[in-house]
Amino acid sequence: MNKLYGDVVLVVGASSGMGKAIAEALASEDYKVYGTSRKAEMPKEQDEIAAAQSGGFLKMLQLDVCSQESIERAVNFIKEKEGGIDILVNCPGFALAGSVEDTSFEEAFMEFNTNFFGIHRVCRSVLPVMREKSKGLIINISSTAGLIPVPFQSFYSASKFALEAMTEGMRSEVKPFGINVAMVEPGDTKTGFTNSRVFVKDSKDSAYKNVFDSSIERMIKDEQSGPPPVGVVKTVMRMINSSNPPVRVVVGPINKVLAFLKRVLPSRLVVYIVSKLYA
Ligand SMILES: NC(=O)c1ccc[n+]([C@@H]2O[C@H](COP(=O)([O-])OP(=O)(O)OC[C@H]3O[C@@H](n4cnc5c(N)ncnc54)[C@H](OP(=O)(O)O)[C@@H]3O)[C@@H](O)[C@H]2O)c1
């Protein structure tokens, strides 16, 4: 099948959940996929031969979005091997659980450093490579929490709101260079997300403890009873096959309804509904 943007893909955060499913799906469609993990090791020559011979091309590189050096090393590696990067899918992210009052600056920064500044760092490294070829596609994995903030995940929601704003602004900036930018907004999905949730230090003896505990319990239950990332993979595939992908696509029937309600209802009512969901 003709590859609209080219066949070299970088999937950041491909060791688990959505990123892993996206990377595997693309490799099975004959894309040359470079996935990343903080825990991966940079490949050696013999690994490359093995990857090239094993059918679907999926190679893991070491990358931490909080380390500029690791991003540059991975991007340069792909540029040297493939001559460029055609598609970038940014998946890294984790949830920070805690009330706004209980969250320290350092904890809030840690959340933004991965979910927002991390993706900014990756985009800054990849955009010059895409501009060289005057084409490319960037897909950022946001969240429905980037449209409708969730209590006790206010900083997670804020990091996704920031990501939404940056992505939307960047879309207009890079369009003249032939580069498309889009976002996916998944709802609760069964991945490694639940286990990687970080709880703020002060949540243990918090004045919010009772409602915090029941809210987080509800979130965990919803995530773990959510679907696997099939809908996210399908959405990414559609974007990759579109010369003009939408700015954002909400994934999941309930989330589509919530996104619609957010547009049409007064904010007071939306906040009330969300607070009832997580009370
Ligand atoms: N699951 C949900 O219910 C849900 C709902 C809406 C949105 N999302 C969003 O979907 C995206 C994917 O999450 P997921 O659900 O697939 O969770 P996941 O299974 O925990 O996967 C997260 C991925 O991000 C990578 N990662 C984390 N911190 C990183 C860092 N500092 N540098 C580089 N990579 C990092 C992890 O790789 P390593 O740990 O190997 O480095 C892993 O591959 C996230 O942005 C999340 O906010 C999830």
Side-chain angles (χ1 to χ4, degrees), residues 13-18 37-39 63-66 91-93 114 141-143 156 160 186-189 191-193 196 223:
S15 62
S16 162
M18 299 181 194
S37 164
R38 285 167 295 181
K39 300 172 281 263
L63 188 154
D64 180 345
V65 295
C66 300
C91 305
T114 296
I141 307 297
S142 176
S143 169
Y156 174 72
K160 293 296 188 181
D188 293 315
T189 312
T191 63
F193 188 70
S196 69
E223 287 157 14

Side-chain angles (χ1 to χ4, degrees), residues 152-228:
F152 302 110
Q153 295 222 131
S154 301
F155 282 100
Y156 174 72
S157 308
S159 71
K160 293 296 188 181
F161 264 66
L163 178 65
E164 295 260 334
M166 180 180 75
T167 307
E168 220 172 298
M170 183 170 69
R171 180 169 161 120
S172 314
E173 292 168 5
V174 303
K175 188 82 183 167
F177 295 101
I179 301 165
N180 282 335
V181 178
M183 273 177 282
V184 183
E185 292 163 339
D188 293 315
T189 312
K190 194 169 163 45
T191 63
F193 188 70
T194 309
N195 279 342
S196 69
R197 177 174 275 106
V198 174
F199 289 75
V200 302
K201 209 158 71 23
D202 284 353
S203 62
K204 285 197 187 79
D205 305 309
S206 169
Y208 303 82
K209 192 165 173 24
N210 287 346
V211 63
F212 170 76
D213 284 349
S214 64
S215 291
I216 296 297
E217 200 179 307
R218 171 76 198 257
M219 286 174 212
I220 289 174
K221 207 167 137 222
D222 290 347
E223 287 157 14
Q224 289 305 291
S225 56

Side-chain angles (χ1 to χ4, degrees), residues 95-159:
L96 181 69
S99 72
V100 170
E101 186 182 336
D102 289 333
T103 304
S104 66
F105 167 78
E106 288 72 20
E107 288 164 330
F109 179 73
M110 181 181 69
E111 178 72 325
F112 269 76
N113 203 19
T114 296
N115 295 10
F116 176 66
F117 294 117
I119 293 183
H120 176 221
R121 287 186 196 98
V122 175
C123 290
R124 285 199 73 206
S125 292
V126 171
L127 276 169
V129 182
M130 288 185 170
R131 280 193 297 99
E132 265 177 34
K133 289 192 169 181
S134 301
K135 71 178 170 79
L137 171 66
I138 298 177
I139 301 173
N140 289 339
I141 307 297
S142 176
S143 169
T144 311
L147 287 178
I148 305 166
V150 181
F152 302 110
Q153 295 222 131
S154 301
F155 282 100
Y156 174 72
S157 308
S159 71

